[in-house]
Amino acid sequence: MLKLWHRHPFRLMQYLEWVLLGIALLTAFSAVIPHPRRHYWVAHPPGLNWAGIGCIAVLGLMSLRLPHKGHLMPQLYIMLGFICSWLAIALINRGERAFPALLLVVVIRGCLLFDWGGRIAVALLTYCSYLALQIMGMMRVTFWGISLGRPLPPILRRLPPEELRRVWFGLVFNSALLFALVLIFVLLLVGAVLAEHESRNRLVKAHRRLREYALQIENQATLEERNRIAREIHDSVGHYLTAQSIQLENTALFFDQDRSKAANHLAKARHLGQEALANIRTSVASLRSNPHQRSLSSSIEQLISDFKSNTNIEIDSQLNLPANLSNELKAALLRLIQEALTNITKHSQATKVNLCLQKSQQQILLSIQDNGCGFDPSHNTTGFGLQGMKERTAALQGEMSIKSKAGYGCQIDIAIPLTGDDYYRA
């Protein structure tokens, strides 16, 4: 049972249904109270009025639960609504006055249960029911001895028959036209509410998926950073510690036999330890620096100062950047410089580095050149960290070129285009 039925999903629509049902009940209760000069119960027993009011009450209780889509229950639910509406006007004296309100309640529920094809079908069936009631009223069709049509005012009954039919037809036509306009308005109103509700649900789902994607990207970035740190430790610190362990073993081996060789191996071990410590300091400085806390120029100057103190490599820098770059672009530029200097420290054997970072027209130009041993760019360079620099540059829609040759150093040129999102907005 719980799978076939659910609560009314729209409070606004439910309140509108209750207002329409309240109007119908007021009309029904006015029929229950007898006229002081006319005893309606003689021809129309009061029990039938109360039975008709019970049908309206059943139609109101149906709004507490709606059937799920995809079953036969929605069709049966709407048919039950039509049956209760027809029974109400048949059992209540002058019940035809409550019929339009009851039909509008059924139309609103049809809009909630069906798509546009079903909504139009329910609206057409509703309009046909209203026209049938008008025709039955003109034909003086009776239920339990009571006519569905209203008695004409005395002034109209004095008109000639032809004129009376023309006036009567005009009233019925105008009433049918007005009810058609009301039906169209209800269809558009409920359709707009449902479309807004669906758009909001899609927006909530899209926001949820966006958060999931953001978490996945964050986890992926964290994993890549862990892999990078692990690779650096393995390639640099691990190498130094392994070599130092070998030198210490040689020191222990020659300690009793040849003190000069032992001292030589011990000096090499001490030098390897110093290089490992300098490499660790460089990596820690790279991780601790945060361009969001200071300007990009000061962050780069701090990075250069740490590079000089740890490597004793001379570096000549030229920085000319605007101060209103976004945090994302500042972080990316700093990471690119860090990666390049780390590669120079570990692999270049250079004694001098030239670094130039400037804005030219609508792009940022970064150039890093060293006088080291160089390498062949056509070979696999993933161990030098250049692959990570290429991926970071590509993420910024930029271009990266490498010029190097064995024995002639290396030059890296990066061009990153600037867009409106790369600046702080005042």
Side-chain angles (χ1 to χ4, degrees):
M1 194 68 175
L2 294 177
K3 295 181 180 180
L4 296 177
W5 301 89
H6 63 95
R7 293 183 178 180
H8 202 292
F10 299 97
R11 287 293 183 184
L12 178 62
M13 296 294 101
Q14 191 174 28
Y15 295 154
L16 180 58
E17 292 177 10
W18 289 348
V19 170
L20 294 173
L21 290 172
I23 295 173
L25 286 175
L26 288 176
T27 305
F29 275 113
S30 65
V32 174
I33 303 175
H35 194 276
R37 297 182 180 179
R38 298 176 185 175
H39 301 285
Y40 291 136
W41 57 80
V42 174
H44 192 87
L48 295 181
N49 283 328
W50 289 107
I53 293 175
C55 292
I56 297 177
V58 171
L59 190 61
L61 292 175
M62 290 171 58
S63 68
L64 300 178
R65 294 285 179 177
L66 295 179
H68 282 291
K69 297 181 180 181
H71 303 281
L72 188 61
M73 292 299 297
Q75 290 80 358
L76 297 178
Y77 184 87
I78 295 300
M79 292 306 301
L80 181 60
F82 279 112
I83 292 173
C84 290
S85 301
W86 277 103
L87 286 177
I89 65 169
L91 296 175
I92 299 175
N93 183 41
R94 307 285 177 85
E96 71 278 359
R97 294 178 293 182
F99 196 50
L102 299 178
L103 289 178
L104 290 179
V105 172
V106 177
V107 170
I108 292 175
R109 295 177 183 174
C111 292
L112 298 177
L113 295 177
F114 303 109
D115 55 10
W116 274 107
R119 297 172 194 173
I120 295 176
V122 173
L124 291 177
L125 184 59
T126 299
Y127 192 66
C128 292
S129 299
Y130 183 80
L131 291 180
L133 177 65
Q134 298 298 318
I135 295 173
M136 294 169 66
M138 293 178 63
M139 297 176 62
R140 297 291 180 178
V141 176
T142 60
F143 288 99
W144 291 282
I146 298 298
S147 175
L148 290 179
R150 300 182 184 180
L152 295 175
I155 188 173
L156 292 180
R157 284 181 289 186
R158 296 171 185 169
L159 296 174
E162 294 294 333
E163 185 68 17
L164 180 60
R165 282 194 294 270
R166 187 181 67 81
V167 172
W168 182 260
F169 179 79
L171 292 175
V172 172
F173 178 79
N174 291 334
S175 176
L177 180 61
L178 179 61
F179 188 72
L181 294 177
V182 172
L183 274 180
I184 295 175
F185 174 76
V186 170
L187 284 175
L188 295 178
L189 175 63
V190 179
V193 173
L194 293 177
E196 190 273 337
H197 179 73
E198 292 177 359
S199 299
R200 184 179 299 177
N201 287 339
R202 287 196 297 267
L203 183 61
V204 171
K205 292 179 181 178
H207 180 68
R208 186 182 300 113
R209 288 196 299 269
L210 184 61
R211 291 191 60 184
E212 293 175 355
Y213 294 155
L215 291 176
Q216 292 177 3
I217 293 174
E218 182 179 357
N219 293 334
Q220 183 66 23
T222 302
L223 180 60
E224 291 178 356
E225 186 67 12
R226 289 176 179 175
N227 292 336
R228 188 185 71 84
I229 296 173
R231 185 171 61 251
E232 287 188 357
I233 293 175
H234 177 270
D235 294 343
S236 59
V237 180
H239 168 73
Y240 291 131
L241 293 180
T242 302
Q244 186 184 48
S245 177
I246 295 174
Q247 296 299 329
L248 291 176
E249 291 179 358
N250 292 332
T251 301
L253 180 63
F254 292 102
F255 185 77
D256 294 331
Q257 301 176 5
D258 191 342
R259 292 296 181 91
S260 61
K261 288 186 178 181
N264 185 27
H265 288 297
L266 183 59
K268 291 181 179 180
R270 184 183 299 109
H271 178 70
L272 290 171
Q274 293 174 352
E275 290 186 354
L277 182 60
N279 190 273
I280 291 175
R281 288 175 178 175
T282 302
S283 300
V284 171
S286 172
L287 295 175
R288 292 183 60 183
S289 59
N290 187 357
H292 299 179
Q293 297 177 351
R294 60 177 72 179
S295 66
L296 179 60
S297 298
S298 60
S299 299
I300 295 176
E301 290 174 357
Q302 181 64 40
L303 180 63
I304 293 174
S305 177
D306 295 338
F307 176 79
K308 289 181 178 179
S309 62
N310 294 330
T311 63
N312 294 322
I313 298 176
E314 181 182 355
I315 181 170
D316 183 15
S317 61
Q318 298 177 2
L319 306 178
N320 184 15
L321 289 173
N324 58 343
L325 292 178
S326 65
N327 288 334
E328 291 76 10
L329 184 56
K330 288 165 55 179
L333 290 173
L334 184 62
R335 299 308 178 197
L336 287 171
I337 296 174
Q338 287 174 344
E339 189 66 31
L341 294 181
T342 301
N343 290 337
I344 292 173
T345 302
K346 294 193 297 183
H347 308 289
S348 70
Q349 302 177 11
T351 59
K352 185 177 181 179
V353 176
N354 292 323
L355 187 151
C356 180
L357 180 62
Q358 61 182 350
K359 176 181 178 296
S360 176
Q361 296 180 352
Q362 293 299 318
Q363 59 182 353
I364 297 294
L365 300 179
L366 172 62
S367 177
I368 303 175
Q369 182 180 9
D370 66 72
N371 62 349
C373 60
F375 63 96
D376 187 357
S378 62
H379 292 170
N380 187 3
T381 58
T382 56
F384 298 105
L386 295 178
Q387 185 64 32
M389 296 179 63
K390 291 181 179 179
E391 294 174 355
R392 194 183 295 275
T393 303
L396 298 173
Q397 307 299 321
E399 296 181 357
M400 174 178 167
S401 63
I402 303 174
K403 300 176 182 178
S404 181
K405 187 177 180 180
Y408 292 93
C410 176
Q411 180 176 348
I412 298 176
D413 295 317
I414 297 176
I416 300 175
L418 288 176
T419 61
D421 295 335
D422 293 324
Y423 295 97
Y424 288 121
R425 299 184 180 218

